[in-house]
Amino acid sequence: MLAEFVGTGMLVTVVVGSGIAAQRLSPNDVGLQLLENSLATALGLAVLILMLGPVSGAHLNPAVSLADWVLGRRRAGGLPTTDLGGYLAAQLSGGVAGTLLAGVMFDVAPAFSTHQRATPGQLIGEVVATAGLVLLIFTLARTSTPSVTAAAVGAYIGAAYWFTSSTSFANPAVTVARIFTDTFAGIAPASAVPFILAQLVGATVGLGLLLVLQPTATRAAGRAVIPTEPETTPQEHS
């Protein structure tokens, strides 16, 4: 739970903090601001996955945890029901803490965002972004090493900043957290609920595609985003 709290918090700190820095460094160029924000997010996410994956799997995203839980219901494995609530609570509270930390570092007071985003096109963008993310993660969970997965997930999110109209939140915890900053990365509370619903639809679409394209995909349950390292006893070390 601590790994999910810290990881989601640091992910949001990267997103919000780099957004504030981009606004200050490139005040007259929105395109450059988005480039700076997307690069920082892609790199930061990859590092967090490598650092925290062995502890919790580095879900850092309620959509991923829910997808892992659903896959586990089809086959023994996946995130246990007893852990699901804890993961979601850690991710949501960690994300809000990350927004507050970014504000403290940049001397920006917390405030509800006024950035309205929930147009039909942007909601479709969130469906696409989240579906692609879920499909990618659970495909790589069966076929790739942790380092490849971390790089690929970071690269996908970095690219999705640009090819989706929503700039690819693709994460309910990050969406909730970004309500509390009226800066470049913010999202108005009225837009957050439609975004989260679109993300859940996208996660469902991604899982459906996964089960069609990878008929044995349930074997990936419990290995997302990367497998956790089992605890060992002194006898196992000897």
Side-chain angles (χ1 to χ4, degrees):
M1 300 306 103
L2 180 60
E4 288 297 300
F5 177 89
V6 171
T8 310
M10 288 305 300
L11 174 59
V12 173
T13 300
V14 170
V15 172
V16 174
S18 63
I20 296 171
Q23 276 186 309
R24 294 179 179 179
L25 293 170
S26 310
N28 301 314
D29 191 333
V30 177
L32 185 55
Q33 291 173 13
L34 186 62
L35 177 62
E36 293 160 348
N37 191 211
S38 63
L39 284 174
T41 301
L43 295 173
L45 178 58
V47 169
L48 289 168
I49 290 172
L50 288 174
M51 180 169 63
L52 298 172
V55 181
S56 68
H59 291 189
L60 316 182
N61 186 335
V64 173
S65 296
L66 286 167
D68 194 45
W69 176 79
V70 169
L71 284 179
R73 306 288 66 75
R74 295 173 60 91
R75 181 178 184 273
L79 188 66
T81 301
T82 52
D83 290 348
L84 177 62
Y87 265 54
L88 300 183
Q91 292 157 358
L92 290 166
S93 58
V96 174
T99 296
L100 299 178
L101 176 59
V104 169
M105 289 194 296
F106 285 92
D107 297 314
V108 175
F112 287 117
S113 176
T114 58
H115 195 165
Q116 301 290 338
R117 295 179 181 264
T119 66
Q122 288 175 316
L123 295 179
I124 292 173
E126 279 302 286
V127 172
V128 170
T130 311
L133 179 64
V134 168
L135 179 59
L136 172 67
I137 285 172
F138 287 96
T139 297
L140 293 179
R142 294 188 58 240
T143 61
S144 296
T145 61
S147 58
V148 170
T149 297
V153 172
Y156 175 81
I157 290 297
Y161 260 80
W162 293 89
F163 75 75
T164 65
S165 56
S166 63
T167 67
S168 182
F169 285 47
N171 186 329
V174 169
T175 303
V176 170
R178 290 167 67 168
I179 291 173
F180 299 99
T181 178
D182 195 18
T183 61
F184 181 80
I187 180 171
S191 297
V193 172
F195 256 52
I196 291 170
L197 292 176
Q199 291 157 4
L200 295 177
V201 170
T204 303
V205 171
L207 272 182
L209 287 171
L210 177 73
L211 293 173
V212 171
L213 297 172
Q214 302 277 351
T216 59
T218 51
R219 296 177 186 173
R223 298 177 58 83
V225 172
I226 61 176
T228 57
E229 292 181 354
E231 295 183 2
T232 56
T233 63
Q235 289 78 7
E236 290 174 311
H237 283 298
S238 61

